[in-house]
Amino acid sequence: MAYTIVYYINQFFAGMGGEEQAHTPPEIRDGAVGPAQQMEKLLGGDAKVEATVICGDSFYGEHTDEARARCLEMIKANEPDLFVAGPAFNAGRYGFACGDISAAVAEELGIPTLTGMYEENPGVELYAAKTFIVKVSDSARGMRKALPAMATLVGKLMRSEELGPADEEGYISRGMRKNFFHETNGAHRAVDMLLRKIKGEPFTTEYGMPVFNRVDPAPAVQDLGKARIALVCSGGIVPMGNPDHIRVSSAEKYGEYDIGGVDSLSPEAYESIHGGYDRVYANKNPNVVLPVDVLRDFEKQGRIGELHNTFYTTTGTGTSVANAERFGREIGEKLKAEGVDAVILTST
């Protein structure tokens, strides 16, 4: 019996174009398109790619709820036995889309889902626990190795074979642990690892720890009286009604809002949508989280040069490190381009 697969790719791998087609909304084509064609060949007669769902990276990222719902509808209609996306390599927006739709399909349809990403793709941290992510290289130059690696795992998932450890199977750890009897006890294994470390020999820890980046602080502002100061907030202060629909936790986006001519944030015009603290006082006076009133006073007194007329905001609770890093890079690039000298980052 041939298994049915539905495949997901972006506008580039569908042959539609690059950035100029990145806002393409979801569509579906019969059969295998782009990388799905090679995947079908690698699986031989064991599986057939029934349809390929295509969506532009920007559309999926900027209209995630809509894109996810539309893609799910298309995927469900084909009743697949398994779902495959990508590979996304190190493309952040593509990785997010592949991971998000794979996780959604797994949850909604209860079938195995799989994609491929470079280990540093932001989509890995977001979705490794929710779908199988095969380790691939950082660019499409690695496609010839990526697809066979993905096909091998696809075959095992189709046949419901018991999988070994993630490193052995070639996918990124999903954070799951299984108990088993080892031929040597923990004390012997620990001493063996220590001796290997002392000798400079390779060894693999049994309990990997997270590694956090260190960023050197920028030089101090020399003259605050001439500096343009911006406000960035992870405390969830937004215009009333949350116009960009930022999540109350596990945010996947941030908002940017104009405060030109605003001397103080009124509770009629602004609110907190943060899901991690009691918002009562923040909603009575949004300035306690985003101090526009104080900085406008400093501006008038000449203690700072000026308050930047755009503030950036999101919710910090539960937000992944990968998304937070992306927010920081994007906001930092915008502030630099806008001539901002310093930023006050407020939380809760």
Side-chain angles (χ1 to χ4, degrees):
M1 180 189 78
Y3 293 87
T4 298
I5 292 175
V6 172
Y7 210 104
Y8 175 91
I9 56 176
N10 68 359
Q11 81 287 347
F12 177 78
F13 286 104
M16 301 168 70
E19 284 301 309
E20 72 278 7
Q21 296 295 329
H23 286 88
T24 300
E27 64 177 71
I28 189 166
R29 298 182 191 175
D30 291 336
V33 178
Q37 294 175 315
Q38 181 62 18
M39 176 64 70
E40 192 173 62
K41 290 179 182 177
L42 289 166
L43 293 171
D46 294 335
K48 175 179 174 56
V49 177
E50 192 70 27
T52 305
V53 175
I54 302 160
C55 184
D57 287 336
S58 293
F59 188 94
Y60 202 105
E62 295 172 11
H63 309 278
T64 302
D65 292 340
E66 178 188 352
R68 183 192 304 121
R70 291 171 64 176
C71 289
L72 275 173
E73 184 179 353
M74 296 171 184
I75 294 161
K76 280 183 186 179
N78 285 274
E79 301 181 345
D81 300 306
L82 191 137
F83 177 80
V84 182
F89 302 104
N90 198 29
R93 290 177 303 165
Y94 192 21
F96 167 75
C98 287
D100 187 80
I101 190 58
S102 296
V105 170
E107 181 178 3
E108 188 82 10
L109 303 187
I111 62 173
T113 64
L114 178 145
T115 184
M117 295 186 208
Y118 183 58
E119 290 177 275
E120 295 181 13
N121 191 307
V124 169
E125 183 177 348
L126 289 169
Y127 297 109
K130 300 176 181 179
T131 184
F132 287 97
I133 302 178
V134 174
K135 296 179 183 178
V136 300
S137 68
D138 63 350
S139 74
R141 292 190 300 273
M143 183 69 83
R144 293 182 65 182
K145 292 183 178 180
L147 287 176
M150 291 171 65
T152 298
L153 191 54
V154 166
K156 291 184 177 183
L157 292 173
M158 287 191 309
R159 295 185 293 271
S160 299
E161 294 182 13
E162 185 174 350
L163 299 179
D167 283 344
E168 293 180 11
E169 299 289 357
Y171 66 90
I172 294 169
S173 173
R174 305 181 74 191
M176 300 177 181
R177 296 183 180 276
K178 292 184 179 180
N179 292 327
F180 66 96
F181 287 101
H182 203 285
E183 62 271 16
T184 57
N185 65 29
H188 283 92
R189 301 198 306 276
V191 171
D192 180 63
M193 281 191 283
L194 176 61
L195 292 175
R196 286 177 176 274
K197 183 175 183 179
I198 290 172
K199 294 176 183 177
E201 297 176 353
F203 67 93
T204 302
T205 179
E206 295 180 9
Y207 194 77
M209 299 299 291
V211 177
F212 299 101
N213 295 331
R214 291 185 177 273
V215 179
D216 293 330
V221 177
Q222 296 300 311
D223 187 352
L224 281 173
K226 296 179 181 177
R228 176 180 288 182
I229 310 296
L231 282 171
V232 178
C233 174
S234 63
I237 299 298
V238 297
M240 187 62 68
N242 190 14
D244 289 306
H245 306 293
I246 298 171
R247 290 184 177 180
V248 299
S249 66
S250 303
E252 296 176 346
K253 65 173 75 171
Y254 59 87
E256 50 187 291
Y257 304 107
D258 183 16
I259 47 172
V262 176
D263 289 332
S264 178
L265 302 182
S266 71
E268 292 77 27
Y270 296 90
E271 64 175 332
S272 170
I273 48 93
H274 198 287
Y277 68 93
D278 187 339
R279 303 191 297 267
V280 170
Y281 292 105
N283 285 331
K284 285 183 178 179
N285 179 10
N287 298 280
V288 301
V289 179
L290 194 74
V292 172
D293 55 353
V294 173
L295 286 170
R296 286 299 186 201
D297 286 343
F298 284 0
E299 186 179 49
K300 293 171 184 175
Q301 296 165 17
R303 297 175 67 176
I304 63 172
E306 62 177 308
L307 174 61
H308 187 51
N309 283 332
T310 300
F311 78 88
Y312 295 85
T313 184
T314 190
T315 55
T317 184
T319 298
S320 71
V321 173
N323 268 339
E325 288 182 343
R326 176 171 63 83
F327 297 167
R329 285 194 300 271
E330 292 177 5
I331 294 171
E333 289 171 1
K334 293 178 180 181
L335 293 176
K336 186 175 181 180
E338 292 160 357
V340 169
D341 299 297
V343 176
I344 296 174
L345 174 62
T346 66
S347 181
T348 56

